[in-house]
Amino acid sequence: MTDTTADGSAARAHDWKSPAAKQRVRRRYRSDIRLQAFGIGAIAIAVGLLLTLFASLIHAGYAAFTTTKVNLSVHLDPTQINREDPSSANYRKIVFDAFQSLFPDVTSPRDRRELRRIMSSGAPYIVRDFVIANPDKIGQTVTIPVSLSDPYDQLNKGVIPRQIDALSPDRYVLFDRLKRRNVVAVKDDDAVVEIDAYIDPAKVNSNDIASGDFLSIVREGFRAYFDRVNTVAYEEILADNAPETLKSQVMAAPDSIGKTVRVALPLSEHYASLLKTGEAKMRNPRFSSDNDFVWFDSLKDRKLITTPFSWELFTNADSRFPELAGLAGALVGSFLALLTCFLLSFPIGIATAVYLEEFAPKNRWTDLIEVNINNLAAGPSVVFGLLGLAVFLGFFGLPRSAPLVGGMVLSLMTLPTIIVATRAALKSVPPSIREAALGVGASKHQVMFHHVLPLAMPGILTGTIIGLAQALGETAPLLLIGMNAFIPSIENMGVLQPAMALPTQIFAWADSPERGFVSRTSAAILVLLGFLVVMNIIAVYLRQRLERKW
């Protein structure tokens, strides 16, 4: 039969080779290409941002994975160290005497105090721990690597320079104004600025020129070159003895009182250096004197300085000294909190999911429970922190900063994720498994625990590990319950003792003013990301290893 239109005429066959049809095909192809390009571009942007993040963290944190040490020869004098009680010796004196023996020419008390600052404050404890671990070395001279203080550690790694800019960018702008007016010059190796100053008789008495107010005269004359500048930073350009220079000139020519005279005033040290050399540098304020660099260079020339891998980053507890601060306390605290979280959330989450999916009647109450679980799974973590603060600390009176409380708060946050993941895993088990088990006479509980649950376990473990990985990186709820205590030692840490977690340790270090904590913060972030990556890899491995195909 022939298709006909409403008016009875035969429908014409579509011409796929017509120019219009070919144009529509080309348009669809171009749309497909654009869509692929947008997808590839989005992936490239995401990967680029991720690489930028890792590159910035590695660039800022790589320095924390090495530490600067000096190989110190220490004589363990048996007259100073009791073999029966080696921990009671005065190791501070032993270490400082050994270090000062490297610089016999340093004799003044002031220089000796500066010399001691090269070593870390923890150097005596390093030697003490060595002696306690090796009591048979008492009476011998041993070489022990001891850490240097943070400024020298950062200097050796190239993180901080020996000299920094003495002037800020706005000071360069002010000085450029003077240079453009051709009033600065170098005369007889002295950097000066030539200004016109009015010697006001009201400020300088011809009978007592020495008591004149030359400072205000200098300021008024110099101000004329900065008439539109509100700040008084321009006054730093002149040396402190500029008024004395003007006074000397007026005393040499008393008839200049009441006249405007040309005077060459000396520039301050940094501006004089800028005029002569084109740069203004000053010693890094983290060092007391240039002797610090001489002594440090002497240690390097004698091959006494080493930069081994910083195991202290993982074995030391927190410290207010960056070169001694480590993640041991945060690692233990995170482990105890995650262990508590797992022991609570894993069985409760699975039991809840099994009941809701397999045994609970489908009614209004179970629907309400499911909606709330799904909402909690997407809720902000700070809400759980407030709940833990109000209930666990405020109502039950549990100890603040304890890993037990932290684990309970994290379990509240992890439970919805585990429940949702477990229900999804249970749904993925084919109904034929249940029907076959019921057909051979198994009870509903036997079907669930002997057949369905083992088959769903790969998905359950994946969801659990992902939930724990999310909990590991949470900061807000732990801060609200105070799990950011300063932990100088991990010897007595427990689930009821104050503790620190990795995220809160990062938060604390990021808020520290010392420069050494900058690299420590980035290194701790890399460690945290490493744990998260490992946990996700484990989740993927377990899913692929245990997953059943049917």
Side-chain angles (χ1 to χ4, degrees):
M1 296 180 62
T2 303
D3 294 335
T4 59
T5 60
D7 58 0
S9 61
R12 292 178 299 176
H14 182 75
D15 188 2
W16 294 98
K17 296 184 178 180
S18 65
K22 292 180 179 179
Q23 184 179 1
R24 286 193 296 270
V25 172
R26 287 194 296 268
R27 190 183 303 120
R28 287 197 297 269
Y29 286 162
R30 287 196 296 268
S31 299
D32 292 341
I33 294 174
R34 284 196 299 270
L35 181 60
Q36 292 179 13
F38 289 151
I40 295 174
I43 294 174
I45 292 174
V47 172
L49 293 176
L50 184 62
L51 292 177
T52 301
L53 171 64
F54 275 100
S56 62
L57 289 175
I58 293 173
H59 180 266
Y62 79 96
F65 289 99
T66 60
T67 184
T68 305
K69 296 185 177 182
V70 55
N71 292 324
L72 187 63
S73 295
V74 184
H75 177 60
L76 305 179
D77 192 347
T79 62
Q80 299 182 22
I81 303 175
N82 186 357
R83 294 180 183 272
E84 302 298 330
D85 186 16
S87 62
S88 63
N90 187 358
Y91 288 100
R92 183 176 297 274
K93 181 179 183 302
I94 294 173
V95 172
F96 287 160
D97 289 345
F99 189 66
Q100 288 177 351
S101 66
L102 299 174
F103 301 92
D105 54 332
V106 179
T107 56
S108 68
R110 180 178 178 275
D111 289 344
R112 283 177 174 266
R113 285 193 298 270
E114 288 187 11
L115 184 63
R116 293 176 181 177
R117 296 194 184 103
I118 296 179
M119 284 194 306
S120 170
S121 299
Y125 305 107
I126 296 174
V127 176
R128 181 199 63 185
D129 294 340
F130 176 85
V131 175
I132 294 176
N134 303 275
D136 57 308
K137 301 292 184 180
I138 297 176
Q140 303 179 19
T141 298
V142 296
T143 300
I144 304 175
V146 297
S147 302
L148 298 187
S149 61
D150 181 60
Y152 297 92
D153 180 40
Q154 302 295 319
L155 176 65
N156 187 55
K157 296 174 182 176
V159 177
I160 61 174
R162 300 191 179 200
Q163 292 185 323
I164 61 174
D165 289 331
L167 303 175
S168 58
D170 61 312
R171 303 300 198 269
Y172 283 96
V173 173
L174 293 177
F175 192 66
D176 284 340
R177 293 187 60 175
L178 288 179
K179 293 175 66 176
R180 287 196 299 268
R181 303 188 69 167
N182 297 320
V183 294
V184 292
V186 178
K187 294 184 177 180
D188 299 330
D189 201 34
D190 293 330
V192 297
V193 54
E194 297 178 337
I195 68 170
D196 295 324
Y198 174 65
I199 312 302
D200 191 351
K203 297 181 179 180
V204 180
N205 189 342
S206 58
N207 296 324
D208 187 13
I209 296 177
S211 62
D213 187 5
F214 291 98
L215 177 60
S216 62
I217 295 175
V218 168
R219 287 179 174 175
E220 290 176 0
F222 199 51
R223 173 68 181 176
Y225 296 91
F226 302 95
D227 53 337
R228 296 183 181 179
V229 178
N230 295 325
T231 179
V232 295
Y234 63 86
E235 295 181 1
E236 300 175 358
I237 298 177
L238 296 177
D240 293 337
N241 62 342
E244 295 295 327
T245 302
L246 177 60
K247 181 172 72 173
S248 299
Q249 182 171 329
V250 173
M251 294 182 67
D255 57 335
S256 61
I257 299 176
K259 300 178 182 179
T260 299
V261 299
R262 191 77 170 178
V263 58
L265 300 177
L267 297 177
S268 61
E269 176 186 359
H270 298 312
Y271 289 95
S273 174
L274 179 61
L275 180 62
K276 294 178 181 179
T277 64
E279 61 179 9
K281 297 289 185 179
M282 61 180 291
R283 184 181 65 253
N284 193 320
R286 300 196 67 184
F287 302 95
S288 303
S289 68
D290 292 334
N291 288 333
D292 297 345
F293 304 125
V294 175
W295 297 329
F296 182 71
D297 291 338
S298 175
L299 293 174
K300 295 183 68 175
D301 293 340
R302 286 182 276 179
K303 309 296 183 182
L304 296 176
I305 299 296
T306 59
T307 54
F309 183 80
S310 180
W311 294 106
E312 292 83 359
L313 179 65
F314 302 95
T315 59
N316 284 2
D318 197 10
S319 173
R320 63 188 181 92
F321 301 105
E323 72 276 7
L324 301 178
L327 295 171
L331 292 174
V332 174
S334 293
F335 172 77
L336 294 176
L338 282 181
L339 179 62
T340 303
C341 175
F342 174 78
L343 294 178
L344 290 175
S345 60
F346 186 71
I348 296 176
I350 293 178
T352 303
V354 168
Y355 175 75
L356 291 176
E357 188 63 29
E358 301 293 337
F359 298 99
K362 301 300 180 183
N363 54 34
R364 186 177 302 174
W365 292 108
T366 55
D367 291 341
L368 180 63
I369 293 173
E370 291 179 6
V371 169
N372 282 280
I373 289 175
N374 292 329
N375 290 335
L376 288 174
S381 60
V382 68
V383 173
F384 298 97
L386 292 172
L387 178 63
L389 178 64
V391 177
F392 299 141
L393 298 183
F395 185 76
F396 290 106
L398 294 176
R400 189 178 181 86
S401 304
L404 175 64
V405 180
M408 294 171 69
V409 171
L410 294 179
S411 65
L412 292 176
M413 187 185 65
T414 309
L415 265 174
T417 303
I418 296 178
I419 294 173
V420 172
T422 301
R423 294 191 66 183
L426 293 174
K427 290 178 181 179
S428 66
V429 178
S432 58
I433 301 294
R434 298 175 174 83
E435 294 171 358
L438 291 172
V440 297
S443 66
K444 195 170 184 179
H445 287 81
Q446 290 174 327
V447 172
M448 173 54 53
F449 291 104
H450 295 176
H451 300 279
V452 178
L453 196 58
L455 292 175
M457 191 54 65
I460 296 174
L461 291 177
T462 301
T464 302
I465 294 174
I466 292 176
L468 292 176
Q470 179 187 2
L472 177 62
E474 290 296 339
T475 306
L478 298 181
L479 287 176
L480 285 173
I481 64 169
M483 198 171 171
N484 57 343
F486 180 77
I487 307 298
S489 175
I490 63 173
E491 295 178 357
N492 298 320
M493 287 190 64
V495 293
L496 294 177
Q497 301 300 322
M500 176 82 78
L502 267 175
T504 54
Q505 182 72 81
I506 293 170
F507 180 83
W509 281 356
D511 198 42
S512 299
E514 289 84 356
R515 180 61 181 267
F517 282 115
V518 175
S519 59
R520 280 287 199 274
T521 301
S522 298
I525 294 175
L526 290 173
V527 172
L528 177 59
L529 290 176
F531 278 111
L532 296 177
V533 170
V534 169
M535 294 181 72
N536 282 275
I537 291 175
I538 293 174
V540 173
Y541 171 78
L542 289 176
R543 186 173 187 85
Q544 294 180 348
R545 182 70 175 82
L546 302 176
E547 190 174 17
R548 301 284 184 90
K549 301 293 184 180
W550 43 70

